[in-house]
């Protein structure tokens, strides 16, 4: 009978860190933001009062001040757009 030797189980945080490194991001939220379409990032950055150059930055590349502005804009837009979202075009008049 053949025995399998398994290596010690590593914590999930190690695997998560490797995934973040693989995708060059620092958090799950960063990965989500970094993979948004450019047009969405453009809208969010404009709403946050950020510059054109911010559109191409990854979330972790922004300063804390820039991330705070972006966070405020995202929450403002999310709350404001919620009543308008997911309706048919014929209702949108």
């Amino acid at each position: 009978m053949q025995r399998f030797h398994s290596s010690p189980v590593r914590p999930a945080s190690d695997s998560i860190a490797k995934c973040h490194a693989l995708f060059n991001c620092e958090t799950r939220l960063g990965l989500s933001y970094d993979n948004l379409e450019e047009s969405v990032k453009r809208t969010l950055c404009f709403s946050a009062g950020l510059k054109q150059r911010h559109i191409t930055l990854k979330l972790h590349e922004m300063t804390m001040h820039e991330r705070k502005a972006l966070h405020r804009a995202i929450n403002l837009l999310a709350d404001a757009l919620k009543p308008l979202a997911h309706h048919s075009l014929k209702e949108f008049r």
Side-chain angles (χ1 to χ4, degrees):
M1 181 183 280
Q2 187 177 13
R3 288 189 177 186
F4 293 97
H5 296 283
S6 62
S7 56
V9 176
R10 294 183 181 195
S13 58
D14 287 356
S15 297
I16 292 169
K18 285 182 181 182
C19 288
H20 289 159
L22 179 66
F23 291 105
N24 192 24
C25 71
E26 294 187 0
T27 64
R28 182 174 47 107
L29 186 62
L31 181 60
S32 295
Y33 176 81
D34 295 347
N35 285 304
L36 290 174
E37 291 184 27
E38 184 180 321
S39 61
V40 175
K41 286 183 183 180
R42 183 179 308 281
T43 300
L44 295 174
C45 288
F46 175 81
S47 298
L50 299 176
K51 308 268 189 232
Q52 176 82 23
R53 69 178 185 83
H54 291 97
I55 297 167
T56 58
L57 293 179
K58 294 186 177 291
L59 191 60
H60 75 272
E61 295 172 334
M62 293 184 192
T63 66
M64 180 57 79
H65 177 74
E66 294 162 344
R67 286 195 305 270
K68 281 182 182 180
L70 189 59
H71 183 256
R72 271 188 250 115
I74 289 170
N75 287 327
L76 178 69
L77 288 170
D79 291 342
L81 296 176
K82 194 175 290 186
L84 301 173
H86 309 294
H87 294 281
S88 70
L89 182 58
K90 74 177 188 182
E91 291 180 88
F92 200 76
R93 47 187 165 132

